[in-house]
Amino acid sequence: MIKPITHMPKGYECPFCRVISGLDVPNNGTKQEDVIFKNDYVTAFIASKWWPNNKGHVLIVPNQHVENIYELPKEYAGEIHQAAQIVAFAMKDTYRCDGITTRQHNEPAGSQDVWHYHLHVYPRYKRDFFYLTRGLQTKPEKRAIYAEKLKKWIEAHL
């Protein structure tokens, strides 16, 4: 296999590794209260950037630092998608959304901007204009409401 070139800047401090290790990201970044699920392989948390009509979307990351899909070990890929399925069910039941979108970005040309593999799980609604809007930074207190709903659902169903 071809080893891709890393796009991670020298000295990069990974915000997702920070969350996985139990620390908060400064300012309005991800907090431990945003974490909704964690096992030996993956951590899932409410994203700090939201789309206006799709609030409370979740990021699922491998607990091992892996920059992108090219480096992702297959045992982590399976765990990530199992977690995505759990999150999708939790969103459908608690958010009452009409559907779910997952997406994942690799390299700058693929719109990756955090150099740690992550899968987005978005709640979708009819006529939500998802692809016509952009994400905006949120405050931790707004995310806490969504995190609590998903955490409770996951705890009750696992």
Side-chain angles (χ1 to χ4, degrees), residues 43-79:
T43 299
F45 50 89
I46 300 290
S48 61
K49 186 197 270 187
W50 285 0
W51 272 240
N53 302 317
N54 309 87
K55 295 176 172 126
H57 96 271
V58 170
L59 297 179
I60 302 170
V61 301
N63 292 342
Q64 172 185 326
H65 184 86
V66 175
E67 183 174 335
N68 51 41
I69 198 167
Y70 309 114
E71 299 173 3
L72 186 67
K74 60 181 145 180
E75 63 272 14
Y76 282 86
E79 291 285 336

Side-chain angles (χ1 to χ4, degrees), residues 52-115:
N53 302 317
N54 309 87
K55 295 176 172 126
H57 96 271
V58 170
L59 297 179
I60 302 170
V61 301
N63 292 342
Q64 172 185 326
H65 184 86
V66 175
E67 183 174 335
N68 51 41
I69 198 167
Y70 309 114
E71 299 173 3
L72 186 67
K74 60 181 145 180
E75 63 272 14
Y76 282 86
E79 291 285 336
I80 288 163
H81 280 275
Q82 284 179 350
Q85 185 180 45
I86 291 165
V87 169
F89 279 121
M91 284 180 174
K92 285 287 288 178
D93 201 22
T94 62
Y95 294 1
R96 303 285 186 228
C97 53
D98 299 313
I100 298 292
T101 290
T102 61
R103 67 181 189 180
Q104 196 274 317
H105 308 277
N106 298 282
E107 303 180 282
S111 299
Q112 184 177 10
D113 59 3
V114 177
W115 309 114

Side-chain angles (χ1 to χ4, degrees), residues 15-51:
F16 297 164
C17 286
R18 189 173 177 86
V19 173
I20 293 161
S21 71
L23 300 172
D24 290 342
V25 176
N27 304 316
N28 287 322
T30 304
K31 308 299 178 211
Q32 288 304 301
E33 293 77 25
D34 297 327
V35 176
I36 63 163
F37 176 81
K38 186 171 186 175
N39 68 19
D40 292 340
Y41 293 92
V42 301
T43 299
F45 50 89
I46 300 290
S48 61
K49 186 197 270 187
W50 285 0
W51 272 240

